């Protein structure tokens, strides 16, 4: 009996570890070669990525062994902490990154830059998941009126976060939070009429935004809402990239040329010839497409889908509503970032500056993703 309890407590999800391990190895490999072609120090960049992989791994395994009861109680405080951390950017932002991007999104702690919004993603998923569990428990018999009240409550709790994202002019990351919230609302089984109305409003807002970008009057409205010229240019470049191939769509066109030159099997790691700006981060998939072709790019996409499946499966197997909501939130956070990044690389979607999970350069994004995955690993332990 004691042996069985020990095995349950120390059960480890190797099926989930496999895609994560392969992604982390691939990220170090890609960062080395991207730095090589961009005439940076490849060893230094690979070691930097390795350091973030190591830090993220330690954090992931540490979170796995945190007791579920403690996580449940700490969720509101974690969410409030993430909001305070984001609010502190107004006073303690990194001046170097502000000079480069004209946005206050990075904190600098002892020379280490990180984005609080990445930490807020996990905090937001946990908080929304807990609220939905409490709703299911406190309102066993639901109707349209109770569901509407619950949605209002979720939006109310989300307002501080979206306000801070608006102040920081981080439209791309805001879309991640919207996707997570929408996925959790649908997963909770809230009345389909509410979902249909919210979906219609979202589609209307998206269509209106595109319409405003291409009208002079609309552009003045967007400017008054603090949309920057570079954000509007991303929409223009997405609609007709080759018309702006030497200006605002240079990055997109070079990315398309790189992927196209890869063909079926790629040019090989040592045969890359097309220059793509910022390919170590936002455009890392273009390097995969050029170096490893359609076959390699497809293998990477399938690896992502295998990871998403394992996260879902872990949540379902845990037989816990709270765990299932967490898995839904994390999966759709990763799905949105993956689809948006790859979609932008191949011209299906406009660029938003969202990194590709695991593979893009960026320590905060990688470490925060590993933190979230630590929660998934902990679902296999009887705590």
């Amino acid at each position: 009996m004691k042996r069985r309890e020990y095995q349950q407590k120390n059960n480890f999800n190797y099926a989930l570890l496999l895609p994560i391990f392969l992604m982390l190895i691939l990220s170090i490999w890609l960062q080395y070669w991207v730095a090589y072609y961009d005439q940076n120090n490849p060893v230094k960049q690979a070691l930097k990525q390795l350091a973030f992989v190591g830090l993220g791994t330690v954090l992931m395994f540490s979170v796995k062994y945190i007791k579920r009861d403690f996580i449940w109680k700490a969720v509101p405080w974690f969410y409030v902490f993430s909001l305070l951390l984001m609010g502190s950017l107004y006073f303690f932002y990194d001046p170097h990154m502000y000079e480069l991007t004209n946005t206050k999104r990075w904190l600098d702690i002892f020379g280490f830059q990180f984005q609080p919004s990445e930490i807020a993603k996990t905090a937001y998923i946990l908080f929304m998941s807990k609220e939905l569990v409490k709703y299911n428990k406190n309102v066993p018999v639901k109707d349209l009126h109770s569901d509407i009240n619950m949605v209002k409550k979720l939006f109310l709790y989300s307002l501080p976060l979206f306000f801070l994202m608006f102040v920081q002019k981080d439209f791309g990351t805001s879309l991640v939070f919207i996707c997570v919230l929408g996925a959790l609302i649908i997963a909770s089984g809230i009345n389909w009429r509410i979902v249909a109305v919210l979906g219609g409003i979202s589609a209307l807002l998206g269509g209106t935004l595109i319409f405003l970008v291409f009208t002079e009057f609309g552009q003045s409205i967007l400017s008054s809402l603090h949309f920057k010229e570079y954000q509007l240019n991303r929409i223009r470049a997405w609609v007709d990239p080759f018309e702006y191939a030497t200006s605002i769509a240079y990055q997109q066109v070079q990315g398309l040329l790189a992927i196209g030159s890869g063909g079926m099997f790629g040019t090989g790691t040592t045969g890359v010839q097309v220059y793509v700006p910022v390919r170590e981060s936002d455009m890392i998939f273009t390097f995969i497409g050029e170096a490893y072709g359609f076959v390699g790019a497809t293998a990477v996409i399938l690896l992502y889908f295998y990871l998403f499946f394992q996260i879902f499966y872990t949540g379902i197997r845990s037989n816990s509503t709270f765990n299932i909501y967490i898995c839904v939130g994390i999966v759709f956070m990763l799905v949105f970032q993956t689809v948006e990044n790859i979609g932008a690389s191949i011209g299906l979607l406009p660029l938003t500056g969202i990194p590709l999970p695991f593979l893009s350069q960026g320590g905060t994004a990688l470490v925060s993703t590993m933190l979230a995955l630590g929660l998934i690993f902990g679902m296999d332990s009887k705590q």
Side-chain angles (χ1 to χ4, degrees):
M1 186 69 180
K2 288 183 178 180
R3 183 178 180 183
R4 182 181 298 175
E5 289 177 356
Y6 176 82
Q7 290 175 338
Q8 288 178 334
K9 186 176 180 180
N10 294 276
N11 186 33
F12 195 84
N13 192 339
Y14 291 100
L16 177 60
L17 180 63
L18 175 63
I20 296 172
F21 174 76
L22 293 176
M23 286 286 190
L24 294 176
I25 295 299
L26 181 60
S27 73
I28 298 169
W29 174 262
L30 291 175
Q31 290 303 321
Y32 176 90
W33 283 105
V34 166
Y36 173 82
Y37 281 106
D38 289 345
Q39 297 183 346
N40 295 322
N41 188 329
V43 175
K44 181 179 178 181
Q45 188 151 317
L47 289 175
K48 184 178 179 181
Q49 189 75 0
L50 177 61
F52 286 125
V53 166
L55 177 61
T57 302
V58 170
L59 185 61
M60 181 179 73
F61 288 128
S62 299
V63 171
K64 168 181 165 58
Y65 292 104
I66 297 177
K67 292 186 178 297
R68 301 286 102 179
D69 291 343
F70 178 81
I71 292 176
W72 176 265
K73 294 175 183 177
V75 163
W77 300 106
F78 186 32
Y79 184 53
V80 171
F81 171 74
S82 69
L83 293 177
L84 292 174
L85 205 58
M86 291 182 65
S88 69
L89 285 169
Y90 189 78
F91 306 99
F92 305 109
Y93 60 90
D94 180 9
H96 175 67
M97 295 303 296
Y98 178 74
E99 190 176 323
L100 290 176
T101 64
N102 197 32
T103 56
K104 300 176 182 179
R105 301 178 190 171
W106 286 265
L107 284 175
D108 189 337
I109 307 295
F110 302 113
F112 175 69
Q113 292 93 13
F114 72 96
Q115 288 183 274
S117 60
E118 294 294 337
I119 298 174
K121 290 175 184 176
T122 302
Y124 184 73
I125 290 170
L126 286 170
F127 187 78
M128 293 295 115
S129 298
K130 180 173 181 177
E131 289 303 312
L132 286 171
V133 171
K134 287 164 59 180
Y135 173 62
N136 291 336
K137 183 178 180 180
N138 297 331
V139 188
V141 180
K142 305 174 184 64
D143 55 27
L144 182 62
H145 179 71
S146 64
D147 282 353
I148 290 175
N149 287 335
M150 185 58 207
V151 171
K152 288 180 180 178
K153 192 175 180 181
L154 294 179
F155 277 108
L156 181 64
Y157 286 138
S158 302
L159 274 179
L161 177 65
F162 285 111
F163 172 75
L164 290 169
M165 297 303 299
F166 176 76
V167 171
Q168 294 171 20
K169 307 169 188 175
D170 196 348
F171 179 68
T173 306
S174 299
L175 294 176
V176 178
F177 288 110
I178 292 172
C179 177
V180 167
L181 179 59
L184 287 172
I185 287 175
I186 294 172
S188 66
I190 283 175
N191 192 288
W192 67 269
R193 285 171 287 187
I194 301 174
V195 175
V197 170
L198 292 176
I201 292 173
S202 300
L204 180 62
L205 289 175
T208 302
L209 176 61
I210 294 175
F211 173 76
L212 292 176
V213 170
F214 293 97
T215 62
E216 206 171 310
F217 173 71
Q219 291 174 17
S220 64
I221 294 176
L222 293 175
S223 296
S224 67
L225 294 173
H226 300 287
F227 277 83
K228 298 299 179 182
E229 188 66 22
Y230 77 90
Q231 292 174 316
L232 304 181
N233 284 340
R234 284 175 174 176
I235 303 294
R236 300 188 188 104
W238 166 59
V239 172
D240 194 355
F242 287 95
E243 183 179 345
Y244 305 99
T246 58
S247 56
I248 59 176
Y250 178 72
Q251 187 181 32
Q252 288 95 318
V253 170
Q254 290 299 108
L256 292 172
L257 293 175
I259 291 176
S261 68
M264 180 62 69
F265 299 104
T267 60
T269 307
T270 58
V272 173
Q273 297 180 349
V274 181
Y275 170 71
V276 182
V278 202
R279 59 182 159 192
E280 76 279 359
S281 180
D282 300 350
M283 304 296 280
I284 191 71
F285 190 76
T286 64
F287 184 86
I288 297 171
E290 184 176 2
Y292 306 112
F294 176 79
V295 173
T298 301
V300 170
I301 293 173
L302 291 176
L303 189 59
Y304 274 112
F305 276 104
Y306 178 70
L307 172 64
F308 303 151
F309 167 76
Q310 286 299 330
I311 295 173
F312 266 133
Y313 182 65
T314 302
I316 294 171
R317 190 174 59 186
S318 72
N319 198 29
S320 163
T321 306
F322 184 46
N323 286 345
I324 291 173
Y325 286 150
I326 292 173
C327 289
V328 168
I330 291 174
V331 163
F332 277 89
M333 174 186 75
L334 296 175
V335 165
F336 182 86
Q337 293 176 165
T338 303
V339 170
E340 167 53 37
N341 184 281
I342 294 177
S345 298
I346 62 178
L348 290 179
L349 296 170
L351 284 171
T352 58
I354 292 177
L356 187 61
F358 297 101
L359 304 185
S360 291
Q361 184 188 52
T364 313
L366 178 59
V367 171
S368 62
T369 299
M370 300 286 278
L371 181 149
L373 290 171
L375 295 169
I376 308 297
F377 278 107
M379 294 175 187
D380 283 319
S381 300
K382 302 297 181 182
Q383 304 180 56

